Amino acid sequence: MGLVMREHTSDEHWRALLDRLGLSDFNGATFGKLVAAYTKPDRHYHSITHIEDCLDQLAQCALPPARSDPIALAIWFHDAVYNWRSKTNEADSAAWAAEFLSGCDAADDLMADIDGLIMATRHFVPEPLVGDQPLMVDIDLSILGRAQQAYDRYETAIREEYKWVPATTYRRERRAVLRGFLERDAIFETPRFKDLYEATARANLQRAIDNL
């Protein structure tokens, strides 16, 4: 594929993940399609680098495979479909995951878990999060609490993905999104991510709002 994959996104790790879950990917077809989706040139943030970073964050949680493997599979699919003008990206990504799992004759409870984990990454949802959905969301949002340089690269990449949006509109809409996070009682729900990232995330978000 002309791409050097990091450890967590190598085809070996993908195959090992599926083996532990009792799934199969004939000739690596789905793996190839996922990598192709995440390496499109317009994927400035929602890219294979984001998937690698999320999988790294998950690995650092040191969970047993029974918990971490469904989350890892959900990470692989959660941004698989990303159309900048669409409001159904998470649902479309979850549908791709469901199609893959159905083809593998996956158990109903695994399919439901993956669907819930992916749909939780909509981030502003009325339903309470259950099970490991808060952890999935915290992993996805962890970029908000990184060091200033990393966060600023994230903001630049998001703007590049939405470069078709006029500047005035983008500033207004982006401020609203960032304020939505700041107005929460807590950005992160799980203790580990709160301790690691909450304070820095709030500083990053306020700085980003001030700079828009």
Side-chain angles (χ1 to χ4, degrees):
M1 283 178 280
L3 177 71
V4 177
M5 305 294 291
R6 284 170 53 187
E7 181 182 10
H8 291 309
T9 49
S10 69
D11 57 348
E12 291 88 354
H13 271 256
W14 170 258
R15 290 197 303 269
L17 171 64
L18 296 190
D19 284 346
R20 291 192 300 272
L21 289 168
L23 307 174
S24 61
D25 180 14
F26 183 69
N27 288 336
T30 297
F31 177 77
K33 290 175 182 176
L34 287 168
V35 172
Y38 285 116
T39 54
K40 290 179 179 178
D42 58 351
R43 296 289 194 114
H44 299 278
Y45 175 70
H46 296 89
S47 66
I48 195 67
T49 301
H50 173 53
I51 300 305
E52 290 165 344
D53 184 63
C54 287
L55 292 171
D56 285 345
Q57 290 289 316
L58 175 62
Q60 291 169 33
C61 294
L63 300 174
R67 281 189 66 193
S68 65
D69 286 346
I71 300 171
L73 190 62
I75 287 171
W76 265 108
F77 278 98
H78 81 286
D79 285 329
V81 178
Y82 212 89
N83 179 340
W84 324 123
R85 293 171 171 82
S86 174
K87 297 183 182 298
T88 63
N89 288 319
E90 293 84 4
D92 294 339
S93 296
W96 186 357
E99 180 182 9
F100 169 70
L101 291 167
S102 178
C104 297
D105 295 322
D108 289 345
D109 58 348
L110 177 61
M111 295 180 70
D113 284 347
I114 299 301
D115 182 80
L117 290 166
I118 294 171
M119 293 304 289
T121 64
R122 289 175 293 171
H123 299 306
F124 295 96
V125 295
E127 304 89 358
L129 300 179
V130 299
D132 279 323
Q133 292 171 11
L135 177 57
M136 177 74 178
V137 170
D138 283 358
I139 288 170
D140 195 33
L141 293 180
S142 63
I143 186 62
L144 302 181
R146 304 299 177 79
Q148 179 174 334
Q149 186 176 23
Y151 179 85
D152 290 349
R153 286 197 299 269
Y154 156 73
E155 283 291 339
T156 299
I158 292 294
R159 180 63 180 115
E160 188 65 22
E161 287 184 343
Y162 287 89
K163 61 185 177 182
W164 52 274
V165 178
T168 301
T169 303
Y170 180 83
R171 287 195 295 269
R172 182 183 67 246
E173 298 299 324
R174 187 64 179 164
R175 282 193 199 102
V177 169
L178 300 183
R179 284 186 183 127
F181 287 118
L182 271 183
E183 289 169 359
R184 295 182 177 186
D185 292 336
I187 297 167
F188 299 98
E189 295 199 33
T190 58
R192 182 178 188 276
F193 283 82
K194 279 184 183 177
D195 291 344
L196 282 173
Y197 297 130
E198 184 77 22
T200 305
R202 290 188 173 277
N204 283 334
L205 292 168
Q206 188 59 61
R207 190 183 70 257
I209 290 169
D210 293 343
N211 288 339
L212 282 168

